[in-house]
Amino acid sequence: MGSVQRAMRLLECAAGHQHGAPAKQLARETGLALPTAYHLLRTLVHEGYLRRDKGLFFLGEAAERLSSSGAQQKRRSTVVEALAQWRDSIGVPVYYAQYRDGEINVVCVSDTPGNPAVEEWADFRETGHAHAIGQCLLSQLDHEARRDHLERYPVQAVTPYSVRDTDAMLRRLDRMERMAPVIERQEYALGTVCAAIPITVGSSAATMAISLPLQHEARLHSAARQLQGEVERLLGSLAISISI
């Protein structure tokens, strides 16, 4: 345990020197004997947590991966906490999804036993034309990217209310107002209505969405407006979380 603690002290010290530091300086600043520091530094270099260049030590790729992973986890926590807050204040399941590398990716879902999320009975990635999340994400893409997606995942009837063909889907996407909520009624799951709020940061497409049982459809528009207001208030912090 002592060796681990000393190694961590060296890592933290090295991280504070953007332009690198020699072993003697790191040993002095961490209060370690020079032979001990040399031994630990060699081990950290071997494992990739540090790199040595012209006698100076810098953070290595392994340490940078750890840092990146921690930052990613923090960004994810920001979104998870926001979804839980909106789930409770609006009283509906809340979803967060992104369009990344040509795929629809449902990142987080926040629901409760009393307000369960829609069951993914058909792969969300393959049925983007049939649910509010997918339609909202596709509406944020250019025409070429939309057609590319629909060629890879052809439009097909998922329920009797689904869009029937690609041309009809493309026409619908063209008619959607930029940044307006996307409403979907029973196109993916019978007995369920959904709304999705577009979020665009730079070239990234994302969405927050909600779902309700059909018998509560009268609440859908007001709940969507409430979600949109909440998202706009927190967009500053969510913007940095768009890449989780």
Side-chain angles (χ1 to χ4, degrees), residues 46-111:
H46 177 74
E47 296 297 332
Y49 291 101
L50 291 177
R51 62 181 177 87
R52 187 177 183 180
D53 184 19
K54 297 178 181 178
L56 301 179
F57 291 89
F58 303 81
L59 285 184
E61 292 183 1
E64 291 170 355
R65 286 196 299 271
L66 283 176
S67 176
S68 175
S69 177
Q72 183 181 45
Q73 184 60 41
K74 184 175 181 180
R75 292 194 298 268
R76 183 182 180 88
S77 296
T78 299
V79 174
V80 169
E81 290 171 5
L83 262 64
Q85 176 184 334
W86 299 334
R87 175 202 67 202
D88 295 339
S89 63
I90 305 174
V92 294
V94 184
Y95 311 75
Y96 176 52
Q98 301 172 340
Y99 195 82
R100 181 185 294 173
D101 298 327
E103 300 293 344
I104 293 169
N105 178 28
V106 179
V107 181
C108 304
V109 180
S110 187
D111 64 352

Side-chain angles (χ1 to χ4, degrees), residues 10-198:
L10 283 169
L11 271 178
E12 291 172 356
C13 188
H17 294 280
Q18 182 180 357
H19 303 293
K24 288 183 179 180
Q25 182 178 355
L26 295 173
R28 183 173 64 253
E29 292 180 2
T30 55
L32 297 176
L34 187 57
T36 300
Y38 270 129
H39 171 71
L40 291 172
L41 289 169
R42 283 196 297 269
T43 300
L44 290 168
V45 169
H46 177 74
E47 296 297 332
Y49 291 101
L50 291 177
R51 62 181 177 87
R52 187 177 183 180
D53 184 19
K54 297 178 181 178
L56 301 179
F57 291 89
F58 303 81
L59 285 184
E61 292 183 1
E64 291 170 355
R65 286 196 299 271
L66 283 176
S67 176
S68 175
S69 177
Q72 183 181 45
Q73 184 60 41
K74 184 175 181 180
R75 292 194 298 268
R76 183 182 180 88
S77 296
T78 299
V79 174
V80 169
E81 290 171 5
L83 262 64
Q85 176 184 334
W86 299 334
R87 175 202 67 202
D88 295 339
S89 63
I90 305 174
V92 294
V94 184
Y95 311 75
Y96 176 52
Q98 301 172 340
Y99 195 82
R100 181 185 294 173
D101 298 327
E103 300 293 344
I104 293 169
N105 178 28
V106 179
V107 181
C108 304
V109 180
S110 187
D111 64 352
T112 64
N115 291 300
V118 176
E119 180 182 356
E120 187 179 358
W121 70 274
D123 193 324
F124 281 143
R125 294 171 301 176
E126 298 178 5
T127 56
H129 63 281
H131 50 72
I133 287 173
Q135 292 174 21
C136 187
L137 292 173
L138 292 174
S139 74
Q140 297 175 63
L141 307 180
D142 60 34
H143 189 81
E144 183 178 347
R146 293 173 186 173
R147 186 170 288 280
D148 172 75
H149 182 91
L150 296 176
E151 286 177 355
R152 288 183 289 115
Y153 299 112
V155 173
Q156 54 184 321
V158 179
T159 76
Y161 302 92
S162 303
V163 176
R164 298 287 172 161
D165 60 70
T166 298
D167 288 340
M169 186 73 252
L170 290 171
R171 287 194 298 271
R172 178 190 288 192
L173 293 171
D174 286 337
R175 291 194 302 268
M176 289 182 180
E177 296 181 25
R178 178 173 172 78
M179 306 315 291
V182 174
I183 305 298
E184 170 258 302
R185 297 176 174 86
Q186 302 192 88
E187 294 181 48
Y188 176 80
L190 294 175
T192 301
V193 294
C194 303
I197 309 300

